[in-house]
Amino acid sequence: MRMRQSLADIEAAFVEEIEEDRDRRERLQARAVRRERQRHIERAHKEGSLRFAMVLLMLIGTAIAVTLLMFQALYWVTS
């Protein structure tokens, strides 16, 4: 009887360990998904900031080029 009781205890402990391991794996997977989502958000924000800076520089460069060409054309017409 003692042997059966200890086997039952061992089986119960084994089942409990399996459940704990399953819970731990689920928590780790959920944490990995959250980290991946956060990295994606940060990457998208960084790329968006870079694109905004490039558009701003192109707009400023275009404004400068148009202004210079306009004054050159005005100088050429009035000469």
Side-chain angles (χ1 to χ4, degrees):
M1 186 71 176
R2 188 172 190 270
M3 183 67 162
R4 287 188 183 183
Q5 187 178 11
S6 65
L7 282 177
D9 290 342
I10 291 172
E11 286 180 9
F14 181 68
V15 168
E16 185 177 331
E17 184 178 339
I18 288 173
E19 290 174 359
E20 289 174 359
D21 189 46
R22 185 178 300 132
D23 291 342
R24 186 180 64 82
R25 281 188 312 218
E26 288 173 358
R27 284 193 314 271
L28 287 174
Q29 184 177 9
R31 187 186 320 163
V33 168
R34 282 193 307 270
R35 281 194 335 251
E36 195 277 329
R37 190 178 304 131
Q38 184 64 31
R39 283 193 303 265
H40 177 72
I41 290 170
E42 289 173 0
R43 193 176 327 121
H45 181 71
K46 184 178 179 181
E47 290 174 359
S49 297
L50 180 62
R51 287 181 185 147
F52 178 77
M54 293 300 292
V55 167
L56 186 63
L57 288 174
M58 293 297 291
L59 184 62
I60 290 171
T62 302
I64 291 171
V66 167
T67 303
L68 291 175
L69 291 174
M70 181 187 66
F71 280 115
Q72 284 181 353
L74 184 63
Y75 178 74
W76 180 72
V77 168
T78 58
S79 297

